[in-house]
Amino acid sequence: MPPTVSASGLTLRYGGTVALDDVSLRLGEGVTGLLGPNGAGKTTLLRVLATAVPADRGAFTVLGHDPGSPSGRLDVRRRLGYLPQTPGFHQDFSAFAFVDYVAILKELTDRTARHREVRRVLDAVDLSDVRGKRIKKLSGGMRQRVALAAALVGDPGFLVLDEPTVGLDPEQRMRFRELIAQAGEGRTVLLSTHQTEDVAMLCHRVIVMASGRVRFEGTPAELTARAAGRVWSSTERDPGARAGWRTGTGSFRNVGDPPPGAELLEPTLEDGYLLTLDGETAEVAA
Amino acid sequence: MSAHGTAWHVPEDDLRAYARGEATPPRLWSTDTHLASCAQCRETLAALSDPVALDAGWERLDAELDAPRPGLVESLLVRVGVAEHTARLLAATPVLRRSWLGAVLAVLVMTVVAADAVRTTATPTMFLALAPLLPLAGVALSYGPVLDPTYEMTVVSPTHSFRLLMIRTVAVLTVSLGLNGLATLALPSYGLRALAWLLPALALTGSGLALTPRLGPVLAPSLVGGAWIAVLMAARSAAEAHATLAPFTAAGQGVAAAVAVLATGLLYLVRDRFDASRVPLTDTFRGGTA
């Protein structure tokens, strides 16, 4: 089965900063997590794949369409759902009116068919009861669901979600994860996140980015396996560890190259992620 | 039973058109709304309809019950013949909101009052200098990442960016030129000379739009506005006291008309670049338009 998204050599500079540096990847059906620290280039990659900004170099296709040409770009946009990192709203619109507005932008001009679609996506994100409420009266979690509903309009084949769980409380986050999991059935979802829990719970593939480059591409189990034999416990902070932090039991959990005789621990996805980032983990895990 | 306590019912011809799916807004909306609360008209409709068309009608009614009532501007646009979906796109234009229109109106009123009170030249210079900048600013602020909170979603939608820009430009130009025109009427003593803002307004707006794909939606209109002010200052220093400034003379108006035509042609040539321009997507402004 051909991949939904196939990219090679994507490079993008903003002034003197290299936001994307020769990024190549392939995405298939299901949810793929995009992990990385701030400034890793995750949002830039998502914007390029969503056709919001063009890359300086490199090429990619979405569902067989090349967005390098005006007609190809239009074809991609017709099959795309995009939830930006901080989605903006017309605050005076109701949830229904806002999603309806996005549906018009997605070329659904027949009023009856469009309203049927708006009701469908609002049902899908459990917002039918508040569809008449103004956006400014909705909680942060509900707004995020409105934005997801807008992204789902038209049943897109490729869904791009930029850190959708940021700012949500734990209960909202769990609810949102369920929605993303449902959205991932039968389509390709690229989910950018800071949270390894999101990846562990939702994703069948994971990509780790740092400094504009792809550092890892594989399954969550393969990322976890990178830390096998490289996680250990100690009573004091181990100065030889790449990163170490005090756990709830009072002991330190260390990742890196363990000293002889160290008490090895079962690795987690987070351990594999930290080791993949390597030198760039200091501020994350110190 | 009558709807809303009135004796009015949907005429049978309208119900037949509704049953055939041929009713159009706004009559379609009136019928939808009335049917929701009038059992008598629903019975009449059932008698007039074939079952398949009736099912489609109920579905439409279902959708109608969920649909938001369009706002004042949106309703007016539909009533004057604008397509319903285009009216919704226009209703989301930030500068067509009351707060913006109020600010523009306040600036115009103050300028007109000042122009009338301090009459030193044959033309209302301050008014003529300011009026072309208002449509330029209005159009610049109607689209782009700075003031459109949904810009990032808009730019990746299949609706062509240039089409959306033109829809909003026409609406903003209509409103802002209309307001400028009303302000002109408040200066009757200057005669036609008070209309010398119109061609510069079209020239500035066209130039600002034509340069946007290359310079971005903030820098392009800012530079054009700055250039206009620079031209006026140069004309002021070159002119004798109380003389009409060059841009407001017949020759100046001719130049403005030529610039407007050239800018419109250039805008047409670069229309596809609105879809692929490297407009920076800022993360700093994510507020609403409320």
Side-chain angles (χ1 to χ4, degrees):
Chain A
M1 192 174 172
T4 307
V5 177
S6 178
S8 65
L10 294 177
T11 301
L12 178 60
R13 291 169 189 271
Y14 286 122
T17 308
V18 182
L20 291 182
D21 187 3
D22 197 24
V23 169
S24 299
L25 53 83
R26 290 158 76 86
L27 304 175
E29 194 175 295
V31 184
T32 299
L34 183 59
L35 275 173
N38 285 332
K42 303 189 299 295
T43 291
T44 303
L45 176 61
L46 264 51
R47 283 174 172 169
V48 168
L49 294 179
T51 74
V53 290
D56 295 330
R57 279 193 288 126
F60 69 101
T61 59
V62 176
L63 295 158
H65 303 295
D66 177 4
S69 69
S71 64
R73 195 159 49 242
L74 183 61
D75 288 332
V76 171
R77 288 174 177 175
R78 283 182 171 146
R79 301 298 314 279
L80 176 79
Y82 179 42
L83 195 164
Q85 190 173 41
T86 41
F89 299 97
H90 294 297
Q91 304 274 0
D92 280 335
F93 279 19
S94 67
F96 191 102
F98 180 75
V99 178
D100 192 43
Y101 170 74
V102 175
I104 292 169
L105 290 173
K106 289 189 172 186
E107 299 180 318
L108 300 180
T109 51
D110 178 78
R111 191 168 190 260
T112 304
R114 192 178 75 234
H115 285 182
R116 191 188 311 128
E117 176 66 1
V118 173
R119 279 189 298 165
R120 183 188 73 80
V121 293
L122 284 173
D123 276 349
V125 300
D126 253 357
L127 282 182
S128 295
D129 293 345
V130 296
R131 60 182 177 256
K133 260 194 170 180
R134 288 187 181 198
I135 302 262
K136 63 184 172 191
K137 303 270 185 195
L138 299 178
S139 68
M142 285 180 171
R143 287 182 196 198
Q144 202 69 344
R145 276 148 64 189
V146 172
L148 179 62
L152 289 171
V153 166
D155 196 17
F158 178 37
L159 191 58
V160 177
L161 308 175
D162 196 354
E163 300 194 6
T165 56
V166 165
L168 303 184
D169 64 39
E171 192 184 339
Q172 288 174 331
R173 208 178 302 140
M174 282 309 297
R175 178 77 193 101
F176 214 82
R177 283 177 184 145
E178 286 173 26
L179 296 173
I180 294 169
Q182 286 166 16
E185 289 170 11
R187 64 162 66 89
T188 299
V189 180
L190 181 57
L191 165 76
S192 157
T193 179
H194 281 300
Q195 314 238 349
T196 49
E197 296 96 326
D198 286 344
V199 174
M201 291 185 188
L202 286 168
C203 303
H204 77 301
R205 302 279 298 172
V206 57
I207 295 168
V208 178
M209 281 188 79
S211 304
R213 298 185 72 93
V214 171
R215 299 297 173 94
F216 173 87
E217 189 176 358
T219 65
E222 287 166 347
L223 183 57
T224 304
R226 282 197 157 193
R230 302 186 70 193
V231 188
W232 71 98
S233 173
S234 61
T235 51
E236 297 296 329
R237 184 186 293 273
D238 192 327
R242 299 263 178 88
W245 62 99
R246 192 186 290 275
T247 65
T249 61
S251 63
F252 278 84
R253 184 181 183 92
N254 307 285
V255 294
D257 297 318
E263 182 192 343
L264 294 179
L265 301 173
E266 271 298 305
T268 64
L269 188 70
E270 188 163 35
D271 299 326
Y273 169 59
L274 292 175
L275 281 168
T276 300
L277 291 180
D278 200 15
E280 292 164 74
T281 61
E283 64 175 299
V284 180
Chain B
M1 188 183 109
S2 63
H4 312 300
T6 71
W8 184 83
H9 295 287
V10 181
E12 246 183 63
D13 283 350
D14 284 358
L15 281 177
R16 281 201 185 87
Y18 184 85
R20 289 195 301 268
E22 293 169 0
T24 54
R27 187 157 295 181
L28 170 66
W29 301 349
S30 305
T31 308
D32 276 333
T33 308
H34 180 81
L35 283 172
S37 57
C38 179
Q40 185 181 324
C41 282
R42 286 199 296 270
E43 281 173 22
T44 312
L45 177 67
L48 291 170
S49 309
D50 71 69
V52 175
L54 189 60
D55 281 350
W58 289 132
E59 192 187 336
R60 222 166 36 237
L61 184 55
D62 256 0
E64 179 62 29
L65 291 173
D66 279 343
R69 292 287 95 203
L72 182 65
V73 173
E74 207 175 324
S75 300
L76 280 174
L77 289 166
V78 170
R79 281 184 192 283
V80 298
V82 176
E84 176 261 343
H85 53 277
T86 306
R88 174 62 53 82
L89 294 179
L90 284 171
T93 307
V95 286
L96 288 184
R97 287 167 186 272
R98 267 175 296 188
S99 51
W100 282 97
L101 294 177
V104 169
L105 206 57
V107 169
L108 276 173
V109 167
M110 281 190 287
T111 314
V112 166
V113 168
D116 226 18
V118 191
R119 184 171 178 151
T120 55
T121 62
T123 52
T125 306
M126 177 64 87
F127 171 65
L128 293 180
L130 177 80
L133 292 172
L134 296 178
L136 172 72
V139 169
L141 295 172
S142 69
Y143 182 82
V146 179
L147 275 179
D148 185 349
T150 60
Y151 179 77
E152 204 169 346
M153 287 189 217
T154 304
V155 84
V156 302
S157 75
T159 296
H160 198 290
S161 298
F162 185 71
R163 178 174 171 260
L164 186 60
L165 177 68
M166 284 300 102
I167 288 174
R168 291 184 173 177
T169 296
V170 169
V172 173
L173 272 183
T174 304
V175 171
S176 57
L177 296 184
L179 290 175
N180 280 357
L182 287 175
T184 306
L185 292 177
L187 295 166
S189 58
Y190 289 100
L192 278 178
R193 283 189 295 268
L195 260 180
W197 55 267
L198 180 58
L199 289 169
L202 295 175
L204 296 191
T205 306
S207 305
L209 284 172
L211 294 175
T212 292
R214 177 162 289 274
L215 301 176
V218 176
L219 187 57
S222 303
L223 279 179
V224 170
W228 171 245
I229 291 168
V231 165
L232 290 176
M233 289 174 73
R236 161 58 62 209
S237 62
E240 293 174 10
H242 308 309
T244 299
L245 298 189
F248 309 126
T249 61
Q253 293 288 295
V255 171
V259 171
V261 170
L262 284 174
T264 306
L266 180 60
L267 179 60
Y268 182 76
L269 290 176
V270 300
R271 63 192 183 283
D272 280 340
R273 292 177 53 185
F274 281 88
D275 256 352
S277 67
R278 289 286 297 274
V279 174
L281 296 165
T282 64
D283 288 321
T284 49
F285 183 87
R286 291 298 175 203
T289 53

